[in-house]
Amino acid sequence: MDYQFKDIEQKWQQFWADKQTFKAENHTTKPKYYVLDMFPYPSGAGLHVGHPLGYIASDIFARYKRLKGFNVLHPMGYDSFGLPAEQYAIQTGQHPSVTTEDNIATYRRQLDQIGFSFDWSREVRTSSPDYYKWTQWIFMQLFNSWYNKSADKAESIDELVKHFETSGSQGINAVSDEDILTFTADEWKALPDSRQQEELLKYRLTYLRESTVNWCPALGTVLANDEVKDGFSERGGFPVEQKKMMQWSMRITAYAERLLQGLDTIDWPEPLKEMQRNWIGKSVGASVKFPIESPLSFGEGRVESASIEVFTTRVDTIFGVTLVVLAPEHELVAALTTPEQKAGIDAYIAQTKKKSELDRMADTKTVSGAFTGSYVLNPLNGERIPVWIADYVLAGYGTGAVMAVPSGDQRDYLFAKHFNLPIIPILDSQNIDTEADPTKEGKYINSGFANGLEYKEATAAIIAKLEAVGAGKAKVNFRMRDAIFGRQRYWGEPVPVYFKDGLPYLISEADLPLLLPEIDKYLPTESGEPPLGRATGWAYHASPKESVSEEELKAPSPLERAGGEAYPYELSTMPGWAGSSWYWYRYMDAHNNNEFASKEAIEYWKDVDLYIGGSEHATGHLLYSRFWNKFLKDIGKVTEEEPFKKLINQGMIQGRSNFVYRLIDEQGRGTNTFVSHGLIKDYKTSPLHVDVNIVENEVLNLDKFKKFRSEFENAEFILENGKYICGVEVEKMSKSKFNVVNPDDIIERYGADTLRMYEMFLGPLEQSKPWNTNGIEGVFKFLRKFWRLFHNDAWELNVSNEAPTKAELKSLHKIIRKVEEDIERFSFNTSVSSFMIAVNELTELKCNKRAILQEMVIVLSPYAPHICEELWTLLGNPAGTLSYAAYPKFNPAYLVEDDFAYPISINGKTKMNLSIPLSLEAKEVEQFVLANADVQRYLDGKTPKKIIVVKGRIVNMVV
RNA sequence: GCUCAGAUGGUGGAACUGGUAGACACGCAGGACUUAAAAUCCUGUGCCCUCAACAGGCGUGCGGGUUCGAUUCCCGCUCUGAGUACCA
């Protein structure tokens, strides 16, 4: 039979599903290998041809590892909480769970068609209560933990309480809020419970605090920093503003240093590690306090001596400070402003507020600022330093205040020049005639006791002095902020917290999962509360739940509704990244009702050996996952410090749009005539997107085009060489650009094996590239050619048991080694070429030997599993055994050559090839070459000055 | 601005450690089969000079350098893509 890919693919997909061929065991003697894909959000649009790229690569790897004798865990699931389903619910009233269910069904059908070897028995969905029960459980563990800096790990909050009870706050070195109290054990014990809880909240790893958040009014929710791009929401592109709100946060900053250090231990792409390093943004420097010259009046009769604290990475330049600059939002600005300067300061603040964040970023050239009228004193020499405000200082970084050193920092330099402030050079090698010079070279001048020292000594001496006078200390600052952990939305995990006297308390573990309640519509309440505020009876009942009366349930506000023993639940839900921050553990033991995964399962699978996904998750998912993993390790629930040992970013598949060119008439109106791309310079035309699915190799299918839209029914064409050639542009793949290619269509026409191989053939996995079906015929032809090796001209199976020849064995072993090398270094595109070469060679040799073909089937099977399963059974092997066959062993003996065709070059330019026995040593090769008549002809009677012979590589003669 | 990645025929790409640049595939051209088309098969195909062959010249973004020899290493530059952005 001819190669009937449709029948073959359906047959084997059914077989794998029925027999659970790819079900992984948690107990075997085989070594484990965990291959993971970033699970998708099941969107309504379904998969396009770009989505499976990474899945195909990981599937090839997983199948290859099975052949190599590993027990492979290769699961798939869905990140099924998220905004699009909820937006759809708002528009249609359709429950997000229904939409999600439908979308998952589409995804599953599409994934199944591609022939992935996923273990579907372990599927997870983040929106399923069985799953989010454990997301909530992890939240509770975070709530019950604090970060002990001395032990450099998270510890139970009970330990902290014990310490408070015995020793008070003394000796605690924690990552916490800044306004923590100092107290003795007795003082602690005397505090009422509510005050104790309030204090503990400042230590918990997940905590509630008033913070400035990215508020997106259009989406009605707050967004994390990584969900905001240039002042607009990443999803939907709506404007985002800053707003103060009571919010759940995760103390990820506690792990900043470990998140940074861990990067050196994992095999990830360097650019991605770099992005995480930048995001964490560690800078080493010092904090310095500049005492304010005169006591400040805070109004209401409160007068205090205060100081301004700054962070600097160049504390060595402290003698060059000629002004201190505060962010306009800095808390001391009002108190520092003298009556004479008030008008100016107020005007400046008003002006700053008017500027959007975008303007403020775009406008980095103009220098602006205002003088407060107050002075601080340099802690080392007592110099009076004016205090200014300027919007180039950011409230959110460091302390929101800088010591400005115009001689060493360009922004400070411009500022000082603009406002005519002094510029003091502090190094003898500094040149500050036209711009600041940030050098560290030379010896210090104008620097008091540091004069004559060099950079390192000066820094050390100045820090020592600052510490001695209590005005500063060495400090490490991180750019990364704690992550906001709440969304004012419906379709997410409920936070397992209720409120009593305004303070949060965890519900009992026995009450997990806290199920998402039904609500009438998916919008905020009239009073602006999140959608969960609409739920009736959304309250925790400490005593038996039945104690709430119907009337209480109908009460208008949660507080009143709660009544006696019931307390209102948190109304926000968890953000999108909650469920994806630990899902790889659930796959290890997906149906466990007692734990998120059993200790045995975690100790067996440990971590993900290979993780494939897009680089867009660099500072979101991948950072949060590492954070939660480290936390779970600290509390002894998992074994590894890092969750993903090796990570590969597959490139993005871009759309490749095709255009037709509509002729414009004299009046500038569009006509119904279209000009082929090669001729448009001779006409006046306007480009128009045309569906890429009716274009092949840039040639437009005219009949299909006429049916594309009714207005084109009578279209006329100006052709070149009888064809209409379309224009091409690379853009994002999107419906509006008519450049979306659906894998279903490709599979319908060529089959899944062709799709799989073609996606790999397109180019290196990690490179972004436009989708282009121009070469797909070649891959399809290759599979047919492979099929034909097993068949005669009448398409009857025709395989011989004869012993293979030397040439046949050579072809086979070349490919055995090549595919092994390529897969290990994730170079899947080069394997596809090599398969083509091997099949071309075997076709040339008319090889139909079982000994060769059977091995070929195994080697090709990770790439094209369906056709290989079919051929494997046609060869007489039991159905389904191919997936666990042994990868053929490479034997170098078959590749040994007697001769090598040496390229003979003169002055580095290759002139000819000469076959020379490989047994000859360099000197003998030289004689052999010189004895050759053709070589002599090239030498034209001259004697080479020098002859370079690299054995088995090249001969080069210098004339 | 800074950081990172990249630039090879008409196209996608290959060349793994400095050693025959352009493998493999698409496209294109010519041919076979066919009444014809599709499908299939065969041949050619980096550019220039040449009727053609022989031979030759040029050629991996640009300009230099190291080397017997550079797509590969070094210096400088241009362009493209990604990330980041007044980070003190």
Side-chain angles (χ1 to χ4, degrees):
Chain A
M1 232 198 319
D2 196 354
Y3 171 41
Q4 302 286 348
F5 59 85
K6 258 185 218 169
D7 298 344
I8 292 173
E9 292 180 358
Q10 267 171 22
K11 171 179 160 188
W12 287 105
Q13 284 163 12
Q14 195 62 49
F15 180 94
W16 296 328
D18 292 346
K19 306 280 186 208
Q20 300 215 52
T21 307
F22 306 111
K23 196 166 187 303
E25 294 301 327
N26 276 6
H27 303 280
T28 74
T29 51
K30 292 180 184 178
K32 71 99 186 184
Y33 202 91
Y34 190 171
V35 183
L36 182 66
D37 294 288
M38 289 186 187
F39 63 168
Y41 172 79
S43 81
L47 290 175
H48 69 61
V49 101
H51 294 114
L53 182 73
Y55 304 157
I56 293 169
S58 67
D59 195 59
I60 289 169
F61 205 85
R63 286 177 179 270
Y64 169 78
K65 280 289 178 184
R66 283 192 202 99
L67 297 176
K68 281 288 193 177
F70 288 86
N71 182 31
V72 173
L73 177 54
H74 186 41
M76 182 47 84
Y78 307 96
D79 189 12
S80 46
F81 271 134
L83 282 182
E86 186 166 348
Q87 291 295 83
Y88 189 74
I90 291 169
Q91 287 159 21
T92 63
Q94 173 97 281
H95 196 286
S97 69
V98 177
T99 320
T100 304
E101 198 77 25
D102 289 352
N103 293 348
I104 287 178
T106 305
Y107 265 61
R108 178 63 190 272
R109 184 186 56 75
Q110 288 188 299
L111 291 170
D112 281 347
Q113 278 196 91
I114 304 174
F116 293 123
S117 65
F118 294 129
D119 177 357
W120 283 109
S121 73
R122 295 169 184 260
E123 181 197 293
V124 303
R125 300 177 182 192
T126 55
S127 62
S128 146
D130 302 345
Y131 182 90
Y132 71 66
K133 171 180 179 176
W134 299 108
T135 309
Q136 291 171 333
W137 181 85
I138 293 170
F139 176 94
M140 292 169 80
Q141 310 313 306
L142 284 155
F143 187 85
N144 277 332
S145 302
W146 64 293
Y147 201 89
N148 184 345
K149 277 203 254 185
S150 304
D152 202 18
K153 63 188 283 240
E155 290 181 354
S156 164
I157 206 91
D158 295 341
E159 298 295 318
L160 184 67
V161 171
K162 253 186 240 162
H163 186 102
F164 285 168
E165 283 169 355
T166 53
S167 322
S169 59
Q170 206 190 6
I172 289 293
N173 184 13
V175 179
S176 65
D177 289 2
E178 282 180 4
D179 56 345
I180 47 170
L181 305 174
T182 325
F183 46 78
T184 64
D186 288 337
E187 284 168 340
W188 171 257
K189 282 184 263 183
L191 287 175
D193 182 60
S194 64
R195 296 280 292 109
Q196 288 185 347
Q197 289 303 323
E198 204 177 311
E199 191 61 22
L200 289 175
L201 200 52
K202 297 173 187 168
Y203 291 85
R204 298 180 188 277
L205 288 184
T206 178
Y207 62 99
L208 205 52
R209 151 166 101 177
E210 169 139 293
S211 37
T212 310
V213 298
N214 304 303
W215 173 254
C216 180
L219 292 172
T221 191
V222 301
L223 298 170
N225 288 343
D226 64 281
E227 292 168 317
V228 181
K229 260 192 126 174
D230 301 335
F232 290 91
S233 66
E234 203 179 20
R235 276 229 167 128
F238 303 111
V240 173
E241 53 192 56
Q242 302 298 305
K243 188 175 165 183
K244 285 214 169 206
M245 278 178 84
M246 207 49 155
Q247 279 296 320
W248 284 101
S249 288
M250 287 274 167
R251 227 179 276 281
I252 188 173
T253 48
Y255 286 86
E257 187 65 40
R258 278 166 69 187
L259 287 168
L260 188 66
Q261 296 306 324
L263 290 173
D264 296 333
T265 69
I266 48 184
D267 183 5
W268 286 19
E270 202 46 53
L272 197 132
K273 289 196 199 179
E274 201 57 33
M275 272 157 81
Q276 291 211 345
R277 282 188 196 109
N278 288 338
W279 189 262
I280 295 167
K282 179 180 180 176
S283 49
V284 179
S287 78
V288 183
K289 282 183 186 156
F290 288 78
I292 296 164
E293 189 184 35
S294 36
L296 294 182
S297 161
F298 289 90
E300 295 164 12
R302 192 158 75 95
V303 176
E304 279 174 32
S305 296
S307 60
I308 293 172
E309 186 172 354
V310 305
F311 175 76
T312 176
T313 54
R314 288 295 302 273
V315 73
D316 58 299
T317 63
I318 192 163
F319 289 99
V321 175
T322 56
L323 71 156
V324 162
V325 188
L326 306 186
E329 300 88 346
H330 195 280
E331 54 181 4
L332 292 180
V333 171
L336 282 165
T337 305
T338 58
E340 305 80 66
Q341 301 297 334
K342 192 166 186 327
I345 291 287
D346 287 351
Y348 187 72
I349 291 174
Q351 180 199 326
T352 317
K353 273 202 182 135
K354 249 191 275 164
K355 278 202 243 175
S356 73
E357 189 161 348
L358 253 186
D359 297 339
R360 218 167 135 172
M361 283 193 302
D363 185 21
T364 60
K365 294 265 146 45
T366 27
V367 178
S368 71
F371 179 44
T372 61
S374 292
Y375 291 82
V376 291
L377 303 176
N378 189 321
L380 296 187
N381 63 6
E383 286 286 325
R384 284 179 90 220
I385 300 170
V387 179
W388 288 64
I389 64 171
D391 63 6
Y392 80 83
V393 178
L394 304 175
Y397 182 77
T399 60
V402 305
M403 55 177 232
V405 184
S407 60
D409 181 286
Q410 186 58 19
R411 283 159 322 176
D412 298 343
Y413 185 89
L414 290 174
F415 198 85
K417 281 271 180 207
H418 189 262
F419 291 107
N420 257 323
L421 295 160
I423 299 174
I424 306 173
I426 37 108
L427 280 156
D428 57 7
S429 68
Q430 234 169 0
N431 175 1
I432 55 167
D433 299 343
T434 55
E435 57 181 5
D437 184 355
T439 184
K440 295 173 184 173
E441 303 294 314
K443 294 192 177 355
Y444 286 82
I445 52 173
N446 301 325
S447 294
F449 63 86
N451 280 341
L453 297 180
E454 289 185 358
Y455 173 70
K456 274 196 170 161
E457 314 157 334
T459 304
I462 289 170
I463 288 177
K465 184 79 180 176
L466 284 169
E467 280 177 2
V469 301
K473 56 176 193 263
K475 191 180 170 181
V476 174
N477 199 47
F478 291 95
R479 195 178 79 107
M480 186 169 65
R481 303 262 66 96
D482 277 346
I484 305 285
F485 196 76
R487 298 291 181 268
Q488 289 61 48
R489 303 292 295 208
Y490 174 73
W491 193 230
E493 299 87 348
V495 177
V497 160
Y498 64 90
F499 288 87
K500 188 172 153 187
D501 302 330
L503 284 170
Y505 293 86
L506 292 180
I507 67 171
S508 151
E509 263 188 39
D511 289 323
L512 291 178
L514 175 59
L515 294 173
L516 201 51
E518 294 302 319
I519 55 176
D520 57 343
K521 48 183 173 174
Y522 306 95
L523 290 169
T525 65
E526 281 66 33
S527 54
E529 284 176 328
L532 289 190
R534 295 176 170 278
T536 45
W538 186 239
Y540 186 65
H541 309 278
S543 52
K545 299 188 179 188
E546 290 70 27
S547 76
V548 174
S549 70
E550 275 304 300
E551 251 154 72
E552 281 169 347
L553 286 175
K554 283 181 196 137
S557 93
L559 265 170
E560 287 172 48
R561 201 189 294 149
E565 290 287 331
Y567 303 100
Y569 280 130
E570 169 63 50
L571 296 181
S572 60
T573 51
M574 297 190 198
W577 55 270
S580 59
S581 295
W582 69 279
Y583 74 113
W584 64 96
Y585 285 115
R586 191 61 178 169
Y587 286 134
M588 295 177 184
D589 194 9
H591 304 289
N592 195 325
N593 287 324
N594 306 315
E595 297 166 274
F596 70 92
S598 72
K599 199 167 157 40
E600 298 74 53
I602 292 170
E603 279 175 0
Y604 177 71
W605 293 110
K606 288 191 174 70
D607 53 8
V608 175
D609 294 282
L610 174 66
Y611 195 23
I612 297 189
S615 59
E616 65 272 22
H617 299 108
T619 50
H621 162 62
L622 288 171
L623 202 59
Y624 298 131
S625 293
R626 294 181 59 222
F627 159 41
W628 279 31
N629 191 81
K630 285 173 193 297
F631 169 70
L632 290 170
K633 166 123 193 294
D634 284 354
I635 64 169
K637 296 293 178 187
V638 308
T639 60
E640 305 301 309
E641 178 78 13
E642 290 288 340
F644 315 123
K645 246 189 286 191
K646 178 167 183 71
L647 185 132
I648 303 263
N649 286 132
Q650 91 270 21
M652 237 212 336
I653 298 241
Q654 295 146 311
R656 193 169 179 283
S657 307
N658 278 117
F659 292 88
V660 293
Y661 300 89
R662 188 196 281 270
L663 188 68
I664 305 291
D665 67 13
E666 311 276 300
Q667 285 78 41
R669 284 182 309 234
T671 66
N672 213 5
T673 299
F674 296 87
V675 182
S676 185
H677 181 247
L679 306 171
I680 54 172
K681 53 189 176 305
D682 304 329
Y683 298 87
K684 205 170 151 206
T685 59
S686 77
L688 201 68
H689 276 97
V690 63
D691 189 344
V692 293
N693 295 295
I694 63 169
V695 177
E696 201 165 338
N697 280 317
E698 283 26 297
V699 178
L700 181 68
N701 183 320
L702 300 182
D703 291 335
K704 286 186 184 165
F705 179 72
K706 288 179 179 172
K707 288 178 203 140
F708 176 44
R709 272 194 226 157
S710 56
E711 55 173 311
F712 298 150
E713 206 179 331
N714 300 313
E716 293 183 22
F717 304 94
I718 298 174
L719 306 176
E720 47 187 317
N721 304 325
K723 289 171 185 166
Y724 190 97
I725 309 294
C726 294
V728 178
E729 228 173 273
V730 173
E731 302 177 291
K732 209 175 125 87
M733 207 177 260
S734 101
K735 268 188 192 159
S736 65
K737 299 189 165 73
F738 296 103
N739 61 5
V740 175
V741 183
N742 189 315
D744 300 11
D745 297 340
I746 305 283
I747 289 170
E748 172 68 22
R749 188 151 165 209
Y750 298 103
D753 284 336
T754 298
L755 174 74
R756 291 169 64 104
M757 291 198 85
Y758 185 61
E759 292 226 3
M760 294 299 104
F761 188 61
L762 222 42
L765 179 63
E766 303 189 62
Q767 215 167 80
S768 283
K769 57 231 154 194
W771 174 263
N772 177 350
T773 37
N774 289 356
I776 199 163
E777 291 281 345
V779 173
F780 182 68
K781 278 194 244 175
F782 154 76
L783 286 174
R784 278 195 73 193
K785 217 166 167 183
F786 182 60
W787 179 262
R788 212 162 50 199
L789 282 176
F790 297 70
H791 296 83
N792 62 20
D793 290 345
W795 292 108
E796 293 158 336
L797 188 71
N798 178 28
V799 176
S800 131
N801 285 318
E802 279 172 61
T805 65
K806 206 182 159 194
E808 290 165 347
L809 283 166
K810 188 179 168 189
S811 283
L812 174 67
H813 281 262
K814 264 198 316 197
I815 192 76
I816 291 173
R817 179 179 61 178
K818 177 73 173 153
V819 169
E820 202 166 328
E821 283 172 359
D822 283 352
I823 293 185
E824 305 274 359
R825 65 191 171 101
F826 305 97
S827 173
F828 301 100
N829 55 325
T830 48
S831 304
V832 179
S833 305
S834 306
F835 280 126
M836 290 173 172
I837 294 169
V839 167
N840 286 348
E841 283 172 359
L842 293 175
T843 303
E844 187 77 12
L845 294 165
K846 300 203 182 345
C847 171
N848 68 338
K849 315 269 172 68
R850 172 185 303 274
I852 301 293
L853 297 185
Q854 177 146 321
E855 305 279 66
M856 278 290 291
V857 166
I858 300 174
V859 176
L860 181 63
S861 66
Y863 289 80
H866 308 87
I867 190 175
C868 289
E869 285 275 13
E870 185 69 16
L871 290 167
W872 179 253
T873 45
L874 286 178
L875 288 170
N877 298 292
T881 54
L882 175 60
S883 301
Y884 295 92
Y887 190 85
K889 199 165 176 346
F890 169 64
N891 183 348
Y894 293 120
L895 267 52
V896 172
E897 293 279 350
D898 298 333
D899 300 311
F900 174 72
Y902 278 88
I904 310 299
S905 47
I906 294 176
N907 295 334
K909 294 227 187 294
T910 308
K911 296 292 176 187
M912 58 181 289
N913 283 321
L914 199 54
S915 188
I916 303 172
L918 276 164
S919 55
L920 297 191
E921 291 305 319
K923 203 72 204 162
E924 299 168 301
V925 170
E926 193 178 314
Q927 285 159 8
F928 190 103
V929 169
L930 288 173
N932 185 279
D934 289 327
V935 173
Q936 284 306 323
R937 190 165 56 79
Y938 276 109
L939 286 173
D940 199 19
K942 287 174 261 192
T943 312
K945 270 189 249 167
K946 192 172 172 187
I947 302 181
I948 294 103
V949 177
V950 182
K951 199 183 165 189
R953 284 241 188 244
I954 200 168
V955 176
N956 188 22
M957 289 179 281
V958 187
V959 179

